[in-house]
Amino acid sequence: MVSFLFAFLAAFPCVYSLVTPRQGVDFFNPTLNGGSMLDDAGNGLGEPLNVIISGLSSPDVLTESGFENYAKAIGFSTECLGIHLGGPQSANLGDGNGSVNQTVELRQDYGDATVGTCLESLIGGNHLRLYIQNGPEHDTGALFLAVSKEEDAEEDHTIVPDGYDIGRDQLSAAAEGTTSFGGVTYSTEAINMTGLLPAGSAGVNHDIATDGITTLLTVTIVQ
Ligand SMILES: *[C@@H]1O[C@H](CO)[C@@H](O)[C@H](O)[C@H]1NC(C)=O
Ligand SMILES: *[C@@H]1O[C@H](CO)[C@@H](O)[C@H](O)[C@H]1NC(C)=O
Ligand SMILES: *[C@@H]1O[C@H](CO)[C@@H](O)[C@H](O)[C@H]1NC(C)=O
C-alpha cells in the first residue's frame, strides 16, 4: 500500500505538490542562495525589499488575490484603470526560481479602491511591487515587497527623498492591528529586522539611502 502510494505520488508530481506543506518559517533569506534583498530595476541598481509578509501568515493572504484583498484593507489598490506606468522590475528571492518579474504593482488608493490609484498616479504616494517566495528550493510562501513613496507624475514617478523608509513605515503603520476589506478581517503584527539589507545607498536605485530595516508583518485572518 505504501509503495503503491509512493508510485502514485511519483507518477503525479502535481498532485504531490498540492499536498506538500509550506516550510513553516517566516521566510528564507535570499542572499543565502544566490538571491538579493534588492530587486532589479534593469539598470544595475534595485529597490530594497523592505517589507516581508511572513510565510506563517494565514495561507489565504499568501496568494496574489488574497494579497490584493489585504492590500485594499491597508490602503492600496491595483493600478489606475489598469494603466501601468513604467516597466516591471524583477527579483531573485533565492528560492530556486532565479530572477522573476514582479507579480503585481499596487498604489496607494486614497480611500477609494476603484479610482483612488488614479489620484496616486497624478499626485504621487505610496507604491509597492510584490514578489512571492514560492520556488522549488525554498517554498516558504512569504511575500517580499519593495515599498516606496513616489513623486507625482510630472516628476516621472521617481522616489521622494528617504522614500523607501517612508513608504515602508507608512505601509506598516496602516497594516498594524485590525483591518478589514471585502468581508475579511485581518490582525497584523509587525517587527523590525536588521541585517538583511545593508544600511546606506550601495546598489539602491535613485541613490536614496535607507536605514537597512526590513519590517516583517505576520497577518492572521480573524474572520
Ligand atoms: C518580464 O517582463 C518583461 C517586460 O514586460 C518581458 O519582456 C519579459 O519577458 C518578462 N520575463 C518573464 C520571465 O516573464
Ligand atoms: C516559482 O516556482 C514555482 C514552483 O516551481 C512555480 O509554481 C511558480 O510559478 C514560480 N514563480 C514564478 C514567478 O515563475
Ligand atoms: C520600525 O522602524 C521604523 C524606523 O525606525 C519605525 O518608525 C517603526 O515604528 C518600527 N516598527 C516597529 C514595528 O518596530
Side-chain angles (χ1 to χ4, degrees):
M1 182 60 198
V2 169
S3 64
F4 168 77
L5 187 62
F6 185 79
F8 175 79
L9 292 175
F12 296 96
C14 50
V15 172
Y16 180 63
S17 74
L18 280 178
V19 298
T20 302
R22 294 284 191 189
Q23 298 188 329
V25 295
D26 286 311
F27 64 95
F28 171 76
N29 179 352
T31 65
L32 300 179
N33 193 31
S36 174
M37 285 297 289
L38 294 174
D39 75 7
D40 180 354
N43 58 359
L45 302 169
E47 297 183 352
L49 299 171
N50 49 7
V51 173
I52 298 175
I53 298 190
S54 170
L56 300 180
S57 299
S58 295
D60 283 353
V61 177
L62 303 177
T63 64
E64 187 179 345
S65 62
F67 174 72
E68 284 187 15
N69 195 73
Y70 178 66
K72 287 173 183 167
I74 65 171
F76 284 79
S77 194
T78 45
E79 292 193 274
C80 172
L81 305 175
I83 298 166
H84 177 86
L85 299 163
Q89 299 190 2
S90 59
N92 181 345
L93 300 182
D95 58 4
N97 273 0
S99 179
V100 297
N101 283 342
Q102 64 199 32
T103 301
V104 69
E105 188 168 352
L106 302 177
R107 295 177 187 280
Q108 186 175 1
D109 70 12
Y110 288 100
D112 181 331
T114 314
V115 297
T117 53
C118 298
L119 197 56
E120 196 278 349
S121 290
L122 288 172
I123 66 175
N126 217 350
H127 167 259
L128 67 83
R129 303 172 196 279
L130 166 68
Y131 304 94
I132 305 179
Q133 189 168 55
N134 62 358
E137 292 168 21
H138 293 282
D139 180 14
T140 67
L143 309 180
F144 284 63
L145 311 182
V147 189
S148 57
K149 187 167 164 58
E150 293 184 321
E151 308 270 17
D152 63 26
E154 284 185 10
E155 300 289 332
D156 201 23
H157 284 268
T158 52
I159 313 295
V160 302
D162 207 22
Y164 298 115
D165 292 348
I166 294 172
R168 175 201 64 210
D169 290 345
Q170 285 187 352
L171 181 147
S172 308
E176 271 186 274
T178 302
T179 55
S180 61
F181 189 88
V184 186
T185 301
Y186 305 95
S187 171
T188 301
E189 286 181 30
I191 58 165
N192 281 345
M193 305 179 291
T194 53
L196 286 167
L197 280 163
S201 63
V204 177
N205 205 15
H206 306 297
D207 197 31
I208 293 171
T210 76
D211 57 16
I213 291 172
T214 301
T215 302
L216 179 70
L217 302 177
T218 304
V219 185
T220 306
I221 293 177
V222 291
Q223 70 180 48

